[in-house]
Amino acid sequence: MLFRNKKSVPELDKRNIPAHIAVIMDGNGRWAQKRGLPRTAGHSAGSETFQRVAEYLSDLGVQYFTVYAFSTENWKRPPEEVGEIMRLLEKYLHKAIREMRERNIRLRFFGDLSPLSDGMKALIEEANAISETTSGMLVNVCLNYGGRAELTRAARLIAEDCKAGKLSPEDITEDMISRRLYSNGIPDPDLMIRPGGEVRLSNFLLWQNAYTEFYFTDVLWPDMDERQFDLAIAAFQQRKRRYGGI
Ligand code: FPP
């Protein structure tokens, strides 16, 4: 692996590796601009980083890795940039489909996939089918995803059940909401990492991040490496999680 220097990283406690890590892959555009390159070059570098990091986290024993690849708001970007992100996702899907069995990873997609091209939809179906046969780390790619849209969808599904007489409003539980989210069956993130210097959630996993530990860094996403992830996990291991208790 091509990761840079591993100096000065605290030794990780291998018994306390977060089961679920979520990442907002931010800073691709600025990474490219700093180098006098078009923003799309930043997304391309970001896609490489995503694949290297996924491999590293799988080796560490992380069980779930969720990334924010494209938000419901990202359609507002220039069409060339949207097109390039979709092209990179498609390229990744082709590669993943070839390698998922060997690497023993599973893939799942969170978001409204209906506006995607037929080609992308077919690739996603293929990746979903392979995921039935593999058992390793589950990579969740948030694509045309927004936390509010996800919760709105869950509210609609519950309202339909109420309308059909299958459910009474007073019987609605938190668990029923969780089960109607894209993350159904997946434990909530233990650690959410946001590189790129912004300190906000940007509509990412609003329900699931209720008790998640947050780690923010100024490092831009394409520059995130093994060492940066070790630093984030080491910080997580210092935290005392109380879940509202004392
Ligand atoms: C945010 O950086 C990044 C995105 C909106 C796109 C992320 C997409 C990829 C890394 C490529 C494809 C993904 C996969 C999973 C193969 P930004 O553009 O907002 O950066 P900036 O804040 O510096 O402008």
Side-chain angles (χ1 to χ4, degrees):
M1 231 180 289
L2 293 170
F3 285 117
R4 289 180 284 279
N5 91 71
K6 268 208 86 178
K7 269 188 297 185
S8 69
V9 181
E11 193 67 33
L12 294 183
D13 176 356
K14 290 285 157 42
R15 295 157 309 172
N16 187 21
I17 297 294
H20 186 172
I21 297 183
V23 174
I24 300 180
M25 304 187 287
D26 195 18
N28 295 343
R30 279 164 287 159
W31 181 93
Q33 274 157 1
K34 263 172 56 181
R35 286 162 178 77
L37 298 168
R39 292 176 53 82
T40 47
H43 296 312
S44 178
S47 172
E48 295 299 319
T49 299
F50 156 71
Q51 292 171 63
R52 285 201 319 266
V53 164
E55 208 179 313
Y56 179 57
L57 297 184
S58 164
D59 289 348
L60 269 185
V62 170
Q63 296 167 49
Y64 306 93
F65 177 40
T66 303
V67 290
Y68 209 175
F70 194 85
S71 76
T72 44
E73 288 70 42
N74 286 152
W75 297 106
K76 293 181 212 147
R77 295 187 178 210
E80 315 80 71
E81 187 171 336
V82 171
E84 178 60 10
I85 295 173
M86 292 299 161
R87 194 191 66 79
L88 287 165
L89 281 160
E90 195 163 334
K91 188 174 162 202
Y92 166 67
L93 274 164
H94 278 289
K95 188 161 176 251
I97 286 166
R98 284 196 307 274
E99 296 178 357
M100 282 167 75
R101 291 185 190 84
E102 191 195 328
R103 293 194 192 281
N104 194 26
I105 61 155
R106 293 179 292 151
L107 269 179
R108 188 150 146 184
F109 292 82
F110 293 3
D112 173 12
L113 306 180
S114 61
L116 300 182
S117 70
D118 288 345
M120 281 275 271
K121 285 184 197 154
L123 290 169
I124 288 172
E125 263 182 44
E126 207 177 333
N128 285 339
I130 300 171
S131 301
E132 300 286 319
T133 70
T134 50
S135 58
M137 185 173 82
L138 176 61
V139 180
N140 302 302
V141 179
C142 298
L143 181 47
N144 193 24
Y145 173 87
R148 288 185 173 181
E150 181 183 37
L151 285 164
T152 305
R153 175 178 170 271
R156 285 204 186 108
L157 292 171
I158 289 180
E160 277 166 20
D161 281 351
C162 289
K163 201 167 143 197
K166 292 190 225 160
L167 189 62
S168 307
E170 59 277 14
D171 294 332
I172 297 169
T173 62
E174 290 186 5
D175 186 55
M176 286 176 195
I177 297 172
S178 292
R179 281 193 277 114
R180 286 163 178 83
L181 302 179
Y182 298 116
S183 53
N184 177 24
I186 299 171
D188 290 339
D190 300 290
L191 172 63
M192 196 288 291
I193 301 174
R194 182 169 192 158
E198 308 292 357
V199 186
R200 55 177 171 251
L201 203 44
S202 299
N203 206 12
F204 186 45
L205 305 175
L206 294 180
W207 175 275
Q208 299 88 336
N209 273 328
Y211 286 101
T212 300
E213 297 294 330
F214 291 170
Y215 179 88
F216 296 96
T217 169
D218 289 337
V219 175
L220 304 174
W221 171 248
D223 289 329
M224 289 292 286
D225 59 11
E226 184 179 44
R227 180 171 172 274
Q228 293 300 331
F229 269 80
D230 281 0
L231 287 171
I233 295 169
F236 166 83
Q237 292 183 340
Q238 297 297 316
R239 308 265 177 96
K240 301 258 178 298
R241 303 185 79 189
R242 288 190 292 272
Y243 300 97
I246 50 170

